Amino acid sequence: AGQLWSLLDEMAENEPQAYRRFLQQQRAEAERFCAPPEPHLCLRARPAVGCAGAQPRLGLLQGVGGRPLFINVCGWKRVPAPKAPSEPTPVSAGPLEEVSGEGDLYSIIDIAYNPDVLQRGEENPEKMQHLIHSTLKFTEERCNLILSDLYTIESFKLKGSLETMQQRLKGRRMPTPHLSQNTKKELTLDQLLHTMEAEDCSNAPVLLKDESMTCSKVHLIEEISSTEVPEKLSTPVYEMITVKDTNKKPLKFELKIELPKVSSVSECDLQISKDDIIIEVPEKYKLQLDLPELVDEETTTAVFNKGKRVLFITVPVAKPDP
């Protein structure tokens, strides 16, 4: 971490324009991840028996019954835009909930797209109609429902409160570290960015395939990733060698860690204190080692070999106080 901050300081001094662009890029990225979802339009649909000869599906269909279903279609900068017009459209959705309001029972779900997708729909009614149809089909697949082809666009943009909608879409929030706390070299720039990216990751986007909608059953979604059921982190294969001086006193520890599922050092969270090392790769690996001697975390170095996918860490033993 110290080396990284030194590089940034050097960039600020020698390449002020590049440093300014870097900060602007990080700020824009932070604003994108921190921007809340905003309501765009609200659809009213009703579960029904499916098309020609289709049988009602079990599960949530029984719970929803014939009650109206409100779909809050939202814009959210955190949801990426399609890379190309022919590419699938990413979408993020909250849970299906039953609500009792003003004596009526209804169901509600929140679905978010990148604001650019919604803007293109506003400019082209045919695209908006296609997006709405895709939204209904996606809701069917996600919630195990069969919806009527009839729907209405409500006069209001949002069913329910803004805060509740945002909470449903964001899901479980991860704690953000405070820079004022003593982090003991544990908070690197990669970790800061990773924390922002991992926040609210319980609702990972999926992709809507851009294909013609028919009454027959088609697979409309392709999962990108799922973090709703956390994977058990595996312990990577490692080797630690103690380098000693002529008096057989430890000088440093050389740690070799095999990470075959890692392609970049930015995926690794490395935390070093005076008596232990923790290496974690989200959803892949975690290794915690207690060191036999107190070490100097300030002069620790780490190098990742992309070809071999091996992380080499050199940890000097702390010199005794005079």
Side-chain angles (χ1 to χ4, degrees), residues 22-34:
F22 174 80
L23 292 184
Q24 291 173 346
Q25 180 183 358
Q26 301 310 311
R27 180 179 179 180
E29 193 72 6
E31 289 177 349
R32 184 173 75 86
F33 278 106
C34 293

Side-chain angles (χ1 to χ4, degrees), residues 200-236:
D200 308 329
C201 64
S202 58
N203 290 330
V206 298
L207 297 179
L208 287 182
K209 291 184 178 178
D210 187 13
E211 50 186 87
S212 59
M213 303 299 172
T214 64
C215 208
S216 60
K217 181 180 177 181
V218 292
H219 293 286
L220 299 175
I221 61 174
E222 175 187 347
E223 295 286 346
I224 296 177
S225 63
S226 175
T227 54
E228 295 178 358
V229 180
E231 291 186 19
K232 183 178 179 181
L233 301 181
S234 59
T235 301

Side-chain angles (χ1 to χ4, degrees), residues 298-314:
E298 296 284 346
T299 57
T300 296
T301 59
V303 177
F304 182 70
N305 187 313
K306 286 187 177 181
K308 297 181 179 180
R309 301 200 176 190
V310 174
L311 180 64
F312 297 93
I313 303 175
T314 303

Side-chain angles (χ1 to χ4, degrees), residues 35 51 59 69-70 77 110 123 154 159 165 169 287 295:
C51 319
L69 169 65
F70 292 94
K77 292 181 179 179
D110 312 291
E123 297 170 355
E154 299 291 342
K159 183 68 173 180
M165 175 272 289
L169 276 175
L287 174 64
V295 299

Side-chain angles (χ1 to χ4, degrees), residues 123-168:
E123 297 170 355
N124 188 324
E126 184 177 348
K127 287 186 177 180
M128 177 57 74
Q129 185 177 6
H130 178 73
L131 184 64
I132 291 175
H133 200 48
S134 299
T135 301
L136 295 173
K137 291 298 182 182
F138 170 76
T139 304
E140 285 186 323
E141 294 291 331
R142 182 179 178 86
C143 301
N144 198 24
L145 296 173
I146 297 179
L147 299 177
S148 169
D149 290 334
L150 301 177
Y151 66 88
T152 56
I153 300 178
E154 299 291 342
S155 58
F156 46 84
K157 292 184 177 180
L158 178 70
K159 183 68 173 180
S161 71
L162 178 64
E163 181 179 2
T164 303
M165 175 272 289
Q166 292 174 345
Q167 289 177 350
R168 282 194 298 257

Side-chain angles (χ1 to χ4, degrees), residues 32-33 76-83 88-92 112-117 120 203-207 224:
R32 184 173 75 86
F33 278 106
W76 199 7
K77 292 181 179 179
R78 191 172 301 187
V79 179
K83 296 180 180 180
T89 301
V91 58
S92 183
Y113 297 96
N114 185 277
D116 291 343
V117 174
R120 286 194 291 269
N203 290 330
V206 298
L207 297 179
I224 296 177

Side-chain angles (χ1 to χ4, degrees), residues 57-115:
R57 303 175 198 166
L58 300 178
L60 290 177
L61 180 59
Q62 295 176 339
V64 173
R67 293 191 294 274
L69 169 65
F70 292 94
I71 304 174
N72 290 324
V73 179
C74 309
W76 199 7
K77 292 181 179 179
R78 191 172 301 187
V79 179
K83 296 180 180 180
S86 59
E87 292 291 321
T89 301
V91 58
S92 183
L96 178 69
E97 290 190 358
E98 296 181 9
V99 180
S100 175
E102 300 179 356
D104 295 328
L105 289 176
Y106 58 90
S107 300
I108 190 169
I109 187 172
D110 312 291
I111 295 180
Y113 297 96
N114 185 277

